């Protein structure tokens, strides 16, 4: 069975977050107060881990910390905030899709340049294989 109480090291290994980032997120209210062992060491639950991984997805898709904090606050407030959380995620989805479209355009430009330079290299006989 999967271990329920994960150390901060185990949590960093599983999430890719540094210990510093986990402590910072806890201080900033992004992560709920984490349970502690008798010795005072943090112990993360499966639920904590799932939430941390979701925060990672928000971060990786460019959501600003202040919006992540707002989302975390709404989450703590429970069911009455479902509509607000949904709207926040829908707005973020729009921004992510815009960013993806821009990246796709930029990548197309890079691919076209590679094709041009490859053709030039062949025409100039500089391709020494």
């Amino acid at each position: 069975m999967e271990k329920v109480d994960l150390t901060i090291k185990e949590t960093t290994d599983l999430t890719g977050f540094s210990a510093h980032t986990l402590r910072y997120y806890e201080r900033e209210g992004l992560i709920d107060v984490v349970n502690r062992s008798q010795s005072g060491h943090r112990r993360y639950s499966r639920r904590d881990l799932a939430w941390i991984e979701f925060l990672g997805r928000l971060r990786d898709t460019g959501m600003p910390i202040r919006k992540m904090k707002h989302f975390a606050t709404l989450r703590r407030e429970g069911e009455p905030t479902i509509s607000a959380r949904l709207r926040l995620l829908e707005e973020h989805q729009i921004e992510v899709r815009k960013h993806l479209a821009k990246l796709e355009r930029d990548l197309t430009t890079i691919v076209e340049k590679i094709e041009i330079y490859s053709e030039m290299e062949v025409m100039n006989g500089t391709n020494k294989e």
Side-chain angles (χ1 to χ4, degrees):
M1 179 170 214
E2 185 180 337
K3 188 173 181 184
V4 176
D5 289 332
L6 300 167
T7 66
I8 198 163
K9 170 77 170 102
E10 291 167 326
T11 303
T12 63
D13 290 346
L14 290 169
T15 64
F17 280 81
S18 69
H20 172 78
T21 299
L22 291 173
R23 288 189 289 269
Y24 171 75
Y25 277 19
E26 189 177 346
R27 268 193 322 274
E28 291 298 312
L30 286 163
I31 299 173
D32 294 335
V33 176
V34 177
N35 289 330
R36 304 283 181 138
S37 67
Q38 287 183 345
S39 61
H41 294 105
R42 287 172 174 81
R43 291 291 185 252
Y44 295 87
S45 68
R46 283 190 206 121
R47 186 167 188 245
D48 294 329
L49 188 63
W51 175 243
I52 291 164
E53 288 173 342
F54 182 70
L55 288 174
R57 303 257 189 267
L58 295 177
R59 178 190 68 181
D60 291 347
T61 56
M63 182 179 277
I65 291 284
R66 76 177 163 71
K67 283 190 177 181
M68 290 169 61
K69 286 171 73 169
H70 180 59
F71 190 88
T73 299
L74 291 172
R75 177 178 170 257
R76 270 190 293 284
E77 292 173 5
E79 204 169 305
T81 68
I82 288 173
S83 293
R85 285 182 274 165
L86 175 61
R87 278 191 302 282
L88 198 150
L89 289 176
E90 288 172 337
E91 290 168 7
H92 184 60
Q93 180 185 41
I94 290 167
E95 292 304 312
V96 170
R97 289 187 189 282
K98 285 179 187 176
H99 183 67
L100 285 171
K102 182 183 180 320
L103 286 175
E104 194 62 44
R105 285 190 308 270
D106 294 344
L107 181 59
T108 298
T109 301
I110 291 168
V111 167
E112 290 168 355
K113 276 293 187 199
I114 289 170
E115 289 171 1
I116 290 168
Y117 286 130
S118 293
E119 288 173 14
M120 290 172 67
E121 191 176 54
V122 169
M123 288 174 54
N124 292 329
T126 57
N127 190 352
K128 313 262 194 242
E129 289 189 50

